[in-house]
Amino acid sequence: MVSTKSLLLAAFTTITAIYAAPTKGPCKSLTPTLPSTGGDDLVAPSPTARLKKIAIGHGIQNYTCSGPDATPSATGALAVLYDVTTLYPGLSKTASLSIEAFNSLPHALLWDRPVPLNRPSNSSYSANTSSPFPSSHQDLKGLANCPALKYAGHHYFDSTGTPTFDLDAIGMKASVLKTGSVSAPKDADRGVLDTGAVAWLRLTDSGKGMSKGVNLVYRVITAGGNAEGCGAAGVGTTQSVPYTTFYWFYEE
């Protein structure tokens, strides 16, 4: 019988092999293109939209249940964001990856690192409600063979329930609303709880006057994050599910 330890070692070896060869040599002229699900896709940015950043987010999706047979209701998300723009193929002379390695980053991060939030002592995944984010901003180092990923900011829902991206490390902010959603591909990483990958999203400016430098966000290449059933999760408590994803930030 193959042990769990052997399976994890094999998976880590595979991920490391994918990252073993960052692209080197002359920087190619390449316009980054949003990933495709292979089926239904989100409405693309307008031709005049400018890509400002690509970040990888690592955090939790939160849900509540009104009853044991109810459908879990999404109540928000929390994530730390890291800048991966220069790792996109052709955008760096020394650090960019192949497209396969780049698109494998969410999977690698989800399984290689713990959720980077302040957690209660009695919880594996939920975050401290009064202070969910660490006070010091740390870059993400040593993820397979990738260069250090610079801290970019935080993702959270504000007091009115509006999705917010505070890219404080680079002076940008997005206050957004969901205007598009498509299911993740069937072969997407189902996550550490084996609940499935959350949908890909198109998020546009909320109109609250809070955005700065970016007003269009895409969530793509998701890993994990879907809720457990209410029977398993329990009623009246917050269910937190780890996830990782790419966020593409545009200004239109």
Side-chain angles (χ1 to χ4, degrees):
M1 181 179 292
V2 180
S3 68
T4 300
K5 182 176 180 181
S6 297
L7 289 173
L8 290 174
L9 179 60
F12 182 78
T13 302
T14 300
I15 292 170
T16 303
I18 290 175
Y19 288 92
T23 302
K24 295 187 178 182
C27 182
K28 301 177 182 178
S29 176
L30 181 66
T31 301
T33 303
L34 275 170
S36 170
T37 65
D40 293 334
D41 280 319
L42 299 164
V43 174
S46 69
T48 58
R50 291 194 303 147
L51 178 64
K52 305 297 285 289
K53 285 292 177 182
I54 305 173
I56 191 169
H58 189 191
I60 54 175
Q61 296 282 325
N62 289 326
Y63 304 89
T64 59
C65 289
S66 60
D69 298 321
T71 299
S73 177
T75 58
L78 294 164
V80 178
L81 308 175
Y82 305 96
D83 189 351
V84 294
T85 311
T86 58
L87 296 183
Y88 189 87
L91 292 188
S92 169
K93 292 182 178 180
T94 59
S96 61
L97 305 172
S98 69
I99 193 63
E100 293 80 11
F102 185 81
N103 286 339
S104 294
L105 276 171
H107 166 75
L109 180 56
L110 182 66
W111 291 93
D112 191 59
R113 301 299 167 90
V115 175
L117 301 173
N118 293 330
R119 299 191 302 276
S121 58
N122 62 344
S123 172
S124 298
Y125 303 120
S126 64
N128 186 309
T129 55
S130 61
S131 180
F133 298 112
S135 57
S136 61
H137 303 324
Q138 302 292 325
D139 296 340
L140 181 61
K141 299 178 180 179
L143 181 63
N145 254 8
C146 288
L149 306 182
K150 295 292 185 181
Y151 163 83
H154 297 137
H155 171 43
Y156 58 91
F157 281 46
D158 70 12
S159 60
T160 65
T162 302
T164 302
F165 296 87
D166 186 3
L167 305 175
D168 57 284
I170 47 183
M172 295 190 291
K173 189 173 186 178
S175 172
V176 294
L177 298 174
K178 183 173 71 174
T179 54
S181 175
V182 296
S183 297
K186 291 182 179 180
D187 61 352
D189 188 334
R190 293 183 55 82
V192 298
L193 298 181
D194 195 31
T195 51
V198 288
W200 296 20
L201 302 179
R202 185 178 193 266
L203 306 159
T204 54
D205 188 68
S206 67
K208 294 184 175 182
M210 300 296 292
S211 297
K212 177 184 177 183
V214 288
N215 52 21
L216 174 63
V217 184
Y218 287 84
R219 184 177 81 183
V220 296
I221 312 291
T222 54
N226 267 345
E228 293 183 286
C230 287
V235 178
T237 60
T238 298
Q239 173 192 165
S240 298
V241 184
Y243 85 108
T244 53
T245 189
F246 284 134
Y247 290 107
W248 290 49
F249 295 94
Y250 290 85
E251 184 177 32
E252 287 193 315

